[in-house]
Amino acid sequence: MLSFAYAAAVRRVAVVAVALLAFPLSLSGPAIGQAPSFPSHPITLIVPFAKGGPTDVVARIVSAEMAKSLGQPVVVDNIVGAGGTIGSLKAAQALPDGYTLVLGHMGTHAAAVALYPKLGYRPDVDFAPVALVARMPILLLARREFPAADFREFVLYVRAHQDTINLAHAGVGSVSYTSCMLLNHLLGIDPTGVPFNGTGPAMDALVAGQVDYMCDQMVNAVLPLRTEVIKAYVIAGAERDPAVPAVPTAAEAGLPKFQVEAWNGLFAPKDTPAAVVATLNAAAVRALDQPEVREPMTGLGAVVPPPDQRTPEALAGVVGREVQKWRMVLKRQAP
């Protein structure tokens, strides 16, 4: 009897062993030597500006939706300083495994080349472009009590008082700095600049009346404009924006050369595997098609790029063109 029971037990063990061998990967994970699928743990998205600014707002909207399709959290890390170049440099120096990204923009990945002789990274070389995620018009803004009713009066006032007025910006190389540098050059003025760690803090100072004016992205300006705690004189684009339809274009106001458009692009370090970039791009593209992303973005005045502008190749083209453009515009303006 004992030998019969023993033989039956052996047969049961053998059956279980065969079943386990049939499904080794599902029970024990990747085979020895096989890399886990990407992503297998949370991704860090560096925002090179302070919380609450336009780049931070876009990052949090897009990353939350990307996390759903990636199956891992995308954690925003605000690393501020030097017009966004400190955070961008950290991203460029990260391991090229797809787990560290940066949301760059026109300042960090184009204009900074002309403004920082020792930048530490090359926007068109040291990153793997992933996807363009937003385009944003630029507005000329002022504190609510600024003594100019329209753009014509603004020009007259700043030319007459440039020694006593000041402008807020998010650091040399930022979109706010670069945009107002172009404006000041066109107007022939040189007011005092007041740097902040991001346009979020800069906007707070403008609302509080601590600074006179600034150039900022639509995303950061819509809510303060709607509550009338600041004022806008012109939009630096080819047409008016539905988010602020009463604000004229610079061309309508008499300064057609004041044309600036901000953009946000998602980047990984160079040498990130193509398959990883493709996975990240697919997640970004899918996110941009979701109402949870499109509605808040458009509601804040941002433009969601069409599908043909969301490829890594399209973003690489944007960076190349923008680097050349701002190098020409700012070649005599570098600090």
Side-chain angles (χ1 to χ4, degrees):
M1 179 67 72
L2 181 61
S3 60
F4 178 79
Y6 178 80
V10 169
R11 286 195 297 273
R12 287 196 295 271
V13 170
V15 170
V16 172
V18 170
L20 289 174
L21 288 172
F23 303 99
L25 294 180
S26 64
L27 294 176
S28 59
I32 296 175
Q34 178 179 338
S37 59
F38 175 86
S40 61
H41 58 268
I43 295 170
T44 296
L45 174 56
I46 293 176
V47 171
F49 296 101
K51 294 180 180 179
T55 300
D56 181 69
V57 171
V58 170
R60 293 178 188 277
I61 293 173
V62 175
S63 64
E65 195 63 32
M66 286 181 63
K68 295 179 182 178
S69 55
L70 291 171
Q72 291 289 342
V74 180
V75 182
V76 173
D77 185 13
N78 298 87
I79 300 177
V80 304
T85 60
I86 292 177
S88 299
L89 177 60
K90 183 172 183 178
Q93 296 173 338
L95 290 175
D97 55 8
Y99 288 100
T100 301
L101 309 175
V102 64
L103 191 63
H105 66 19
M106 178 265 281
T108 61
H109 282 66
V113 174
L115 294 168
Y116 288 93
K118 298 180 180 179
L119 183 58
Y121 63 87
R122 297 162 295 175
D124 52 350
V125 174
D126 294 329
F127 294 91
V130 175
L132 183 71
V133 299
R135 293 183 178 277
M136 284 156 287
I138 298 294
L139 294 163
L140 169 60
L141 308 164
R143 56 183 172 87
R144 182 173 57 181
E145 304 301 328
F146 194 78
D150 54 28
F151 183 65
R152 184 187 67 82
E153 290 187 10
F154 173 86
V155 172
L156 294 175
Y157 188 88
V158 295
R159 282 176 174 169
H161 299 87
Q162 60 178 301
D163 293 337
T164 58
I165 63 173
N166 56 56
L167 69 97
H169 61 78
V172 175
S174 65
V175 170
S176 55
Y177 176 90
T178 305
S179 301
C180 262
M181 180 180 288
L182 175 60
L183 173 68
N184 295 342
H185 175 70
L186 293 172
L187 297 182
I189 61 174
D190 186 23
T192 300
V194 181
F196 292 84
N197 279 332
T199 46
M203 178 61 72
D204 291 341
L206 190 70
V207 170
Q210 298 168 347
V211 291
D212 292 310
Y213 72 100
M214 66 183 292
C215 299
D216 201 3
Q217 300 171 56
M218 182 74 73
V219 169
N220 203 36
V222 167
L223 294 180
L225 286 173
R226 287 175 180 169
T227 54
E228 299 182 348
V229 293
I230 60 172
K231 61 175 70 175
Y233 290 114
V234 293
I235 182 172
E239 57 188 23
R240 298 193 183 201
D241 193 281
V244 286
V247 180
T249 67
E252 290 174 328
L255 193 66
K257 291 185 178 181
F258 185 42
Q259 295 286 317
V260 186
E261 182 185 59
W263 49 267
N264 280 121
L266 197 62
F267 298 87
K270 72 173 182 179
D271 298 328
T272 299
V276 171
V277 172
T279 297
L280 292 167
N281 174 266
V285 168
R286 180 187 177 282
L288 294 175
D289 285 333
Q290 305 309 307
E292 293 84 354
V293 170
R294 299 186 72 91
E295 291 176 5
M297 294 263 280
T298 56
L300 291 170
V303 177
V304 177
D308 65 317
Q309 295 180 13
R310 303 178 197 170
T311 66
E313 295 77 16
L315 178 55
V318 169
V319 172
R321 291 189 298 273
E322 288 280 278
V323 167
Q324 292 303 317
K325 169 187 173 180
W326 288 103
R327 182 179 280 131
M328 293 297 294
V329 170
L330 302 172
K331 61 183 178 180
R332 295 187 179 91
Q333 306 293 322

